[in-house]
Amino acid sequence: MRSVLMRKYLGLLLGLFLYSCTGKNGQELLIVQSTPGYFQDKFKPCSVIPIETNDSLLVSDIERVISVDRDYLLLSSKSNIVALLDGTSGKAKAIINRVGTGPGEYRRIIDIAYDSISQRILIYNDYSKLLFYDLNGSFLSDISVEGSYEFIVCRNNEVIFYNALEGYSCQPFMIKKYDLSKGEWINVGNNTDIEFPMRIKGRQIVASKRIWFNAPLDFNMYCLSDDGFSSMYEIGYPKSALSKRLIKSAVENPMDFLQKVGEDEIVYGMNSVRELNDYIIYRTNQMDICLLGKNKRMVHSDKFILQDFFNLSSNDYFPHDGNDNLVMFVLSAEKYTEGLEWLKIYGHDLDNRFVFEDVKEDHNPLLVFFQPIDISQ
């Protein structure tokens, strides 16, 4: 009798354990482990690209970087500039700056994309138009877009419009696709509204090996496929539960919301997901970098400042579009010059690939790339 009860008790405990390790969508719930120094143990710097600074190219912010063969396409939304940069020197090969109301012009750029098949630059503007340019920056044509979206990406001759906006609400599970070859529109997903105005630094949708996206107040990593999307991973955070009252304060009193989140170290969202060969990398609102080992299925969180590398920090991480197995950071020129001076004073050995004496503190930012070290996850 006792052995029967014991087996039932053990079975109940096992069931509870399995339940606790299973996400809402049935997949394994991955728990995050804080591992200081993990990123530096697994990745090393491989290139630094100083963005050219001149009167025609003054970058006040960086909202998008897309790999275009060996070059990079950059959006500075505050400056209303799109630039194609040489992937080695950072010099501008083409600049699009066409503020106005005429053909090929805009008042504000919402997002950009690149169609590798036709080799065209795509600009989504605030006039509900998708504008097409060649790689020299010459305007070609445009199409009208119904609705208002926060992001666009382009892959396999399809333009994907993501996160429809309506006031404080968004619809992160409704995706509109435009087939460039057929000229057809397709809707994928559902129009579930999420009323939450807070955004995390970075991007909610990124094209790397595959296209990944995240939704506000959601800890699933969604991957887009030809016929829809699905949650590939669900991440479990011990401090991620937000009360309805706290969510409401994000709309009514954002400063109180941010203060509470900061004091209690609450994780309310994640974004900037990039898939590499062996890792999936993302960030949270706590400005850490999280690395998911695809083979070991473990998530390591790391918040760092690399004093021996221009004081680069985890907060400088920014996801670029491209299937290149690299991790990108955006480093301000001020931070770079101060870090370079500090390294010289204390006699640190510097790799000449990363030293640019002509960069001044008021110049444009630098793009810094890291690659994986070939060691076990």
Side-chain angles (χ1 to χ4, degrees), residues 6 11 13 32 53 70 75 80 113 119 127 136 151 176 198 216 224 233 245 262-263 302 324 330 354-355 362 366 368:
M6 182 62 70
L13 284 179
V32 180
T53 303
R70 297 182 179 180
L75 165 63
N80 267 322
Q119 296 187 324
Y127 297 135
N136 295 316
F151 305 100
K176 183 187 287 286
M198 296 299 177
L224 198 62
Y233 304 98
R245 182 178 178 181
E263 289 175 351
D302 190 7
D324 52 17
V330 177
F354 311 138
V355 176
D362 59 347
L366 299 87
V368 181

Side-chain angles (χ1 to χ4, degrees), residues 137-344:
S138 299
F139 174 64
L140 301 173
S141 62
D142 63 44
I143 60 170
S144 296
V145 180
E146 290 186 8
S148 177
Y149 296 84
E150 197 169 358
F151 305 100
I152 64 170
V153 295
C154 185
R155 179 162 288 185
N156 298 331
N157 223 29
E158 282 187 335
V159 186
I160 296 161
F161 294 80
Y162 176 72
N163 211 25
L165 300 175
E166 187 66 41
Y168 287 120
S169 297
C170 63
Q171 296 178 348
F173 302 110
M174 173 57 71
I175 294 171
K176 183 187 287 286
K177 294 183 179 182
Y178 180 71
D179 190 311
L180 290 169
S181 60
K182 299 178 181 178
E184 296 177 352
W185 292 95
I186 303 170
N187 288 332
V188 176
N190 62 74
N191 58 358
T192 301
D193 283 314
I194 297 179
E195 188 171 344
F196 188 72
M198 296 299 177
R199 294 293 182 268
I200 305 170
K201 177 182 176 182
R203 291 183 60 84
Q204 275 184 244
I205 186 167
V206 181
S208 50
K209 279 191 168 298
R210 290 174 287 181
I211 297 175
W212 295 82
F213 71 88
N214 302 95
L217 304 177
D218 191 318
F219 296 92
N220 288 275
M221 292 184 184
Y222 297 96
C223 187
L224 198 62
S225 61
D226 291 338
D227 55 354
F229 59 85
S230 59
S231 171
M232 304 299 291
Y233 304 98
E234 184 175 356
I235 312 300
Y237 280 94
K239 295 183 179 180
S240 62
L242 272 69
S243 65
K244 291 182 179 179
R245 182 178 178 181
L246 186 57
I247 293 173
K248 187 177 180 181
S249 74
V251 177
E252 298 178 349
N253 198 329
M255 294 307 298
D256 282 357
F257 173 84
L258 293 174
Q259 182 177 351
K260 179 68 173 175
V261 165
E263 289 175 351
D264 295 350
E265 297 182 341
I266 297 172
V267 176
Y268 63 78
M270 55 190 196
N271 71 5
S272 302
V273 179
R274 264 188 60 80
E275 181 180 5
L276 283 65
N277 291 345
D278 297 319
Y279 297 93
I280 293 175
I281 185 169
Y282 67 94
R283 75 183 305 155
T284 74
N285 58 284
Q286 293 296 334
M287 300 308 173
D288 52 348
I289 277 185
C290 298
L291 287 159
L292 190 165
K294 291 160 69 174
N295 294 336
K296 294 188 176 180
R297 299 180 69 82
M298 294 178 64
V299 182
H300 297 270
S301 169
D302 190 7
K303 188 180 291 186
F304 57 80
I305 297 177
L306 304 183
Q307 290 186 327
D308 60 348
F309 196 78
F310 313 111
N311 287 323
L312 186 86
S313 75
S314 52
N315 193 37
D316 297 318
Y317 166 63
F318 191 86
H320 67 291
D321 280 26
N323 184 9
D324 52 17
N325 205 36
L326 299 176
V327 180
M328 189 187 80
F329 298 78
V330 177
L331 189 62
S332 71
E334 181 179 11
K335 196 171 180 179
Y336 175 82
T337 53
E338 289 176 354
L340 182 60
E341 186 64 26
W342 184 89
L343 291 170
K344 290 179 180 178

